[in-house]
Amino acid sequence: MSATAASAIECAVLSGAPSVPVIAGTALGLRAPQGEAQPLSSLLRADPVLVLRVLRASEALEHTNGLSAARRIDAVIDVGGQALIRAAMLDTHHWSSRVGGVPDGFRRYWSHSLLTAETARELSLRCGHSDPDEAYIAGLLLDVALPLLSANPSYLNLLAQGHHESVLAGLESTELGVSHAELAADLLPAGWAGELADALRFHHADAALFHDAPELLRVARAAEELSGGGSGDAMQHAALAHALTGLPMDQLNDAWQTACRRTHSRLDALQLLDPMAPMIAGEPYRPFFEVSLVPSFDPSSDPANGNDPQQSVLLDLARSGLLAQVLEPTADNDVLRAYRLAGALLLDLPMPQMLLPAHGETRFAVLDEAGEPGGVQLDLAHSGLGDIGQQLLRGQPWYCEDAQQAARLPISIQRLLRPARGEACLVLPLLGDGRVEALALHRMPVSALSGLRKRATGLDALTGATARALRMQRVQARNLGELRSSMVEQYAAHSRQLRADLNTPLGLLKHQVKSMRLKMGADSMLESELSVFNDQVIRIDTVLHQFESRPPDITAAAQWTDINQLIEQIMAETDERTFRARSITTELHLDSALPPLHLPLSAMRDIVAALLTVSAEQIGGGGGRIAVSSADGVNWNGVLHAEIRIRDFGRGMDAARVAALFASTAGEGQARPTLAHALAQIRALGGSLSCKSAIGQGTVFQLLLPRQTRRRAPAASPA
């Protein structure tokens, strides 16, 4: 985030901005979902701030290059789990429980954002050269900075004048130096956001300047105009949307009516409809937010402040319990990655530089490329640090306010901190059981420190839970090392015993073969049989040598993925986001005998979702059918594999289109992603992917997976 943007929002922490209460209550299990239960990722996609928080947190994950915004949301949920999402909802639940009903300003903001998102999706579906999911997220995030700006007194004065959003957008730069459009784009990570950030940045720009802009930008601009963010009347909005998208008026009207129906349905499910003040679809949007409803970052236990001490204690206990689940060290959960993810989602912390103990309890070193402490070192006992070292050893965070403060420290410390102009550093000690397990160095705009200081309780909960998890991980590693050493010793003893037991029988067999050959001669009719027998004896000896030279590897339990359950989950999510809008029906034919497979869940989710997205694109917007099946024990090259087959009954592809689909880079003008990343993931897993397609006959994807399985335990027979 730039210094100008940080100053404009006075560093209102994203996690402090209110979210839709029903989403928080449903995720925390405090509300029963209305109507048909929706997947968690679908619920999150209805809230602009939650989507922005999750997208920013996705920076903590590996192997996200090339992933769309929608897939990044799924990846964060897969890695962090429901415990992380619930922890992120605690502040919203605390805020909504104090407020009571839904404030009218936030109700209208959420309604306008959902209408813009649904309109962008429908326009994208009909234009056909942009990703509808990406268009939906762009539409949802266009005004995500508005509630953050409302923390600024200067901005509240603007809101109090009752301007329409289009007028307000023109006044923001004069008053604050940045518009809510620029701020929203600035809040997205620059490394991957690309067109998505540009769609936010230019959504109030002059429509006459969009003639050569990518379709996503034109769709977002048109959606903003139709949903009430522009000026003029309905006819002018429609004419502008026609000029931006090139869609005929009948298709524009159909897209608009469909978006209104879907928005009404979602607002009803989210309990955001107000019968006393119904929202007129497309009416000019006037942003305003109730001043008294800005949530407290760090609720005080003082009853004079209007807070219930018991509720604050319960909130802290709930947060600590959920963080313990998020950071629990397992084979599939790296504690430091979980810390980065939780810090970004819960406290909007930028990605840290981690330092682990190097020598003794006061020296720490930056992690090198191998993930080991071997880089620049920091000695907390250094005399030049003064009281800072002791402060960190006691578990208290250290705020380095600016470059001038850092310049007074020893050069070795300055080499580590390296704050830029307008930038501050925060060093968080991860203290557990009297020992600092690690240090986390975060760099951020100076003005961001005030928001973090208000969240001292949340910082303490995160660092304490991470320290306990690191200590547990260290103990597990030590126990595992001792177990491995013990097993190696036992293995060596058993190998020696086995060699001793087999040495005499093998020697006798070899001698017997040699004796029989001498007695019968080289031309004996039994020579071929003796050769086979001798080869098998040699093979036994070879296997025994391999057994002696290969000690066991005792590792933690690996991840097992239920393929059928994964398919059902992804189909439900894709149906909500894509299939229903395109009138696509689905069929599932899952083999109940298929056991869990030894495969990474996140990679499998990426692969299946990518294949379903391509299948949906082959059907287009006129409706169709997709069939998905699984099977166990499919023979490929003499080896049994598990199979996932995805067939669409769409328009089909020629050989050139199939080849382009698997190209490593998208062609010029090609908006949709290829399957190159999915193919690379499948090959890395030891599987294969094939595609058969013909014009007018649809497309079939066959995914074969290595059949390393964990069979379910047989049911106990009745006595």
Side-chain angles (χ1 to χ4, degrees):
M1 187 192 306
S2 68
T4 303
S7 175
I9 63 174
E10 294 194 343
C11 290
V13 181
L14 277 174
S15 56
S19 297
V20 180
V22 166
I23 298 177
T26 303
L28 291 169
L30 302 174
R31 290 176 183 257
Q34 287 193 345
E36 184 179 352
Q38 298 184 51
L40 183 58
S41 62
S42 178
L43 275 175
L44 295 184
R45 283 180 174 85
D47 191 295
V49 169
L50 283 178
V51 167
L52 179 61
R53 289 171 62 186
V54 172
L55 289 178
R56 287 170 62 86
S58 69
E59 290 287 281
L61 304 181
E62 303 90 359
H63 313 302
T64 55
N65 291 338
L67 289 186
S68 66
R71 289 297 305 120
R72 284 175 172 268
I73 294 173
D74 292 335
V76 170
I77 296 174
D78 287 342
V79 174
Q82 291 198 5
L84 178 62
I85 303 302
R86 288 171 178 166
M89 301 292 189
L90 286 174
D91 287 325
T92 286
H93 173 66
H94 182 71
W95 170 78
S96 59
S97 64
R98 290 191 297 116
V99 170
V102 179
D104 191 50
F106 284 98
R107 182 195 306 277
R108 290 181 175 272
Y109 159 70
W110 288 321
S111 301
H112 173 67
S113 297
L114 271 174
L115 179 59
T116 309
E118 294 291 354
T119 303
R121 189 215 300 270
E122 295 302 323
L123 293 176
S124 174
L125 283 169
R126 287 157 181 79
C127 290
H129 295 288
S130 56
D131 184 348
D133 287 344
E134 203 81 354
Y136 173 90
I137 290 175
L140 189 73
L141 296 180
L142 293 184
D143 300 320
V144 70
L146 289 177
L148 299 175
L149 284 167
S150 69
N152 189 311
S154 300
Y155 196 70
L156 281 175
N157 293 332
L158 283 180
L159 293 181
Q161 298 174 34
H163 297 299
H164 295 169
E165 186 190 346
S166 59
V167 177
L168 186 66
L171 299 174
E172 289 168 340
S173 297
T174 303
E175 295 291 331
L176 303 174
V178 62
S179 69
H180 75 271
E182 295 169 317
L183 176 56
D186 202 17
L187 287 171
L188 282 172
W192 60 266
E195 285 188 5
L196 179 61
D198 286 341
L200 274 55
R201 180 174 288 107
F202 300 116
H203 80 276
H204 278 293
D206 186 351
L209 305 177
F210 281 77
H211 65 280
D212 59 348
E215 183 178 284
L216 180 65
L217 274 66
R218 291 185 281 112
V219 162
R221 180 68 179 87
E224 173 70 11
E225 195 74 19
L226 289 171
S227 59
S231 57
D233 56 25
M235 292 299 295
Q236 291 173 312
H237 296 165
L240 188 59
H242 167 70
L244 286 164
T245 62
L247 292 175
M249 285 299 181
D250 59 336
Q251 290 194 35
L252 271 177
N253 183 63
D254 179 60
W256 172 243
Q257 296 299 330
T258 303
C260 289
R261 289 193 299 270
R262 288 179 61 87
T263 302
H264 188 278
S265 175
R266 300 203 74 178
L267 291 176
D268 185 34
L270 296 171
Q271 300 179 23
L272 292 177
L273 290 178
D274 185 359
M276 303 303 294
M279 183 191 72
I280 301 174
E283 69 175 344
Y285 172 51
R286 292 182 174 86
F288 73 94
F289 299 95
E290 294 80 351
V291 181
S292 61
L293 299 177
V294 175
S296 172
F297 290 120
D298 192 11
S300 169
S301 60
D302 184 1
N305 294 334
N307 294 318
D308 181 357
Q310 185 177 3
Q311 288 297 320
S312 297
V313 171
L314 291 176
L315 182 68
D316 294 340
L317 288 174
R319 182 183 287 112
S320 298
L322 290 169
L323 284 175
Q325 297 179 42
V326 172
L327 295 158
E328 181 181 6
T330 65
D332 303 315
N333 186 34
D334 177 69
V335 174
L336 295 182
R337 181 190 63 185
Y339 168 79
R340 294 193 299 269
L341 189 60
L345 185 61
L346 304 183
L347 298 164
D348 203 37
L349 287 172
M351 292 300 107
Q353 189 172 21
M354 301 303 301
L355 293 88
L356 294 184
H359 304 288
E361 296 188 356
T362 64
R363 298 179 70 89
F364 295 82
V366 175
L367 297 182
D368 57 21
E369 294 181 357
E372 297 295 330
V376 180
Q377 294 197 0
L378 171 64
D379 186 0
L380 298 184
H382 195 296
S383 58
L385 279 176
D387 295 335
I388 297 174
Q390 293 302 314
Q391 176 182 332
L392 291 171
L393 287 173
R394 290 193 301 269
Q396 300 172 1
W398 174 53
Y399 297 86
C400 181
E401 305 281 352
D402 50 41
Q404 291 183 353
Q405 182 181 357
R408 295 191 290 269
L409 298 172
I411 295 299
S412 60
I413 313 300
Q414 293 188 47
R415 289 184 62 215
L416 175 65
L417 299 179
R418 296 182 184 274
R421 182 180 298 274
E423 191 177 60
C425 295
L426 169 62
V427 181
L428 291 174
L430 309 183
L431 180 70
D433 295 333
R435 169 190 163 119
V436 177
E437 300 287 345
L439 296 173
L441 169 60
H442 298 270
R443 298 179 181 87
M444 63 196 72
V446 173
S447 51
L449 296 182
S450 60
L452 284 174
R453 282 194 170 103
K454 296 175 184 177
R455 308 219 67 182
T457 303
L459 279 173
D460 290 344
L462 176 62
T463 55
T466 307
R468 288 188 291 273
L470 286 172
R471 181 179 181 278
M472 188 184 305
Q473 188 179 59
R474 179 163 50 84
V475 172
Q476 288 178 353
R478 183 188 63 206
N479 294 341
L480 189 61
E482 294 174 354
L483 178 61
R484 182 180 287 113
S485 299
S486 174
M487 290 296 294
V488 167
E489 293 177 1
Q490 295 181 34
Y491 189 92
H494 287 305
S495 297
R496 290 191 296 270
Q497 184 62 45
L498 185 61
R499 166 63 70 180
D501 292 342
L502 292 179
N503 186 56
T504 300
L506 285 174
L508 289 174
L509 288 172
K510 292 177 182 178
H511 177 76
Q512 190 67 25
V513 171
K514 182 177 181 180
S515 176
M516 291 177 66
R517 280 178 168 168
L518 290 174
K519 291 179 180 179
M520 291 186 288
D523 298 330
S524 170
M525 296 177 62
L526 296 178
E527 176 59 28
S528 60
E529 285 81 357
L530 287 174
S531 296
V532 171
F533 187 78
N534 188 60
D535 290 344
Q536 295 306 307
V537 172
I538 295 174
R539 184 169 182 271
I540 293 173
D541 194 41
T542 301
V543 170
L544 186 58
H545 277 294
Q546 293 175 347
F547 182 75
E548 291 173 322
S549 61
R550 185 175 57 200
D553 184 21
I554 310 300
T555 59
Q559 184 178 35
W560 298 91
T561 300
D562 188 325
I563 296 297
N564 288 342
Q565 182 179 350
L566 177 66
I567 291 174
E568 290 176 341
Q569 181 181 357
I570 296 178
M571 290 289 282
E573 295 170 358
T574 312
D575 182 65
E576 171 69 25
R577 295 200 308 265
T578 305
F579 292 165
R580 292 183 190 175
R582 299 189 181 192
S583 301
I584 298 175
T585 59
T586 58
E587 297 178 7
L588 282 179
H589 306 281
L590 304 180
D591 185 353
S592 59
L594 179 63
L597 301 180
H598 186 275
L599 296 168
L601 176 63
S602 58
M604 288 304 305
R605 172 182 281 277
D606 290 345
I607 293 166
V608 175
L611 296 178
L612 284 173
T613 299
V614 172
S615 293
E617 290 174 354
Q618 298 310 307
I619 290 177
R625 180 162 54 99
I626 293 179
V628 181
S629 64
S630 66
D632 186 26
V634 176
N635 192 316
W636 180 54
N637 290 341
V639 180
L640 295 181
H641 287 70
E643 178 196 59
I644 299 176
R645 186 182 292 264
I646 300 175
R647 179 180 182 183
D648 67 72
F649 297 85
R651 54 179 175 262
M653 298 180 284
D654 56 19
R657 175 72 181 103
V658 173
L661 196 62
F662 289 92
S664 58
T665 57
E668 185 176 352
Q670 182 177 338
R672 296 184 177 89
T674 70
L675 288 177
H677 181 61
L679 181 61
Q681 287 180 303
I682 293 166
R683 288 176 173 171
L685 297 176
S688 73
L689 174 64
S690 61
C691 175
K692 294 181 181 179
S693 186
I695 300 297
Q697 298 182 24
T699 304
V700 179
F701 292 107
Q702 184 192 39
L703 173 59
L704 295 178
L705 301 166
R707 196 175 166 281
Q708 301 174 12
T709 64
R710 176 184 63 181
R711 288 289 179 186
R712 298 180 178 88
S717 57

